[in-house]
Amino acid sequence: MQTTIRIIGIDPGLRRTGWGIIETLGNSLRFVASGTVTSDGEMDLASRLCQLHDGLADVVHSFQPHEAAVEQTFVNKDATATLKLGQARGIAMLVPARAGLRVAEYAPNAVKKAVIGVGHGEKQQIHMMLKVLMPKAEFKGNDAADALAIAICHAHNRQAITSRLAALAG
């Protein structure tokens, strides 16, 4: 017997961290909610990370997902920006982990491939496919759309991950 699984996808960023919640039952997907947690660019880094933490914690508490997926970061030419993004990504992984969720990670190309069929594509293609896959999906901006795409990627890959974990445990 199948059960509905609620997944939160998180697109980490220091200014804007996107989040998207979907439910999956077998092969069907259902949009639940999406949004963006922002930090105040005028504040110091520690305070901004606290804002991201508290905002994501509120989302996880409100929607009670069963599993989480976070996009892996890419390396920028700017080492300082890469480090700050990595810290925001740490918050994006910490919040669901502290809530007791297993956190999966996906490369940006894997996310695009799961949603649009190829590993390279434009943001507009992702937006269009989100509407095809989940006609009732609502998202404002690229961050929330990317987070929904990450959740969809996890929905497509979670069966294989669950099977591998069961094989390792058994």
Side-chain angles (χ1 to χ4, degrees):
M1 183 159 149
Q2 294 180 336
T3 59
T4 300
I5 302 295
R6 185 170 281 193
I7 300 168
I8 182 170
I10 303 172
D11 182 31
L14 185 57
R15 286 188 207 131
R16 292 175 310 278
T17 291
W19 58 270
I21 312 255
I22 65 168
E23 288 182 342
T24 180
L25 177 63
N27 290 329
S28 69
L29 300 172
R30 186 178 78 81
F31 171 78
V32 175
S34 70
T36 306
V37 175
T38 59
S39 72
D40 183 348
E42 300 295 315
M43 298 179 82
D44 62 278
L45 179 60
S47 297
R48 293 177 75 185
L49 292 172
C50 283
Q51 288 178 320
L52 295 177
H53 175 278
D54 294 347
L56 277 177
D58 286 346
V59 170
V60 169
H61 178 74
S62 295
F63 291 98
Q64 299 291 306
H66 302 110
E67 298 177 8
V70 177
E71 188 171 61
Q72 293 173 342
T73 56
F74 56 90
V75 178
N76 280 321
K77 294 177 184 173
D78 179 356
T80 302
T82 300
L83 182 59
K84 288 179 181 178
L85 179 57
Q87 291 167 325
R89 187 168 176 275
I91 296 298
M93 295 179 71
L94 172 72
V95 169
R98 293 286 307 223
L101 306 181
R102 189 173 64 205
V103 181
E105 302 175 70
Y106 296 98
N109 287 351
V111 173
K112 288 178 184 172
K113 188 169 186 172
V115 175
I116 61 175
V118 292
H120 300 281
E122 300 298 319
K123 297 284 186 190
Q124 208 52 35
Q125 289 174 291
I126 292 172
H127 291 217
M128 183 185 73
M129 282 307 296
L130 287 174
K131 286 296 193 179
V132 169
L133 293 170
M134 296 180 301
K136 295 182 181 179
E138 297 176 14
F139 47 89
K140 292 181 182 171
N142 291 334
D143 302 300
D146 287 350
L148 285 170
I150 294 161
I152 291 169
C153 179
H154 182 64
H156 290 307
N157 288 286
R158 68 178 298 279
Q159 296 286 23
I161 292 168
T162 303
S163 298
R164 276 184 288 201
L165 288 174
L168 290 173

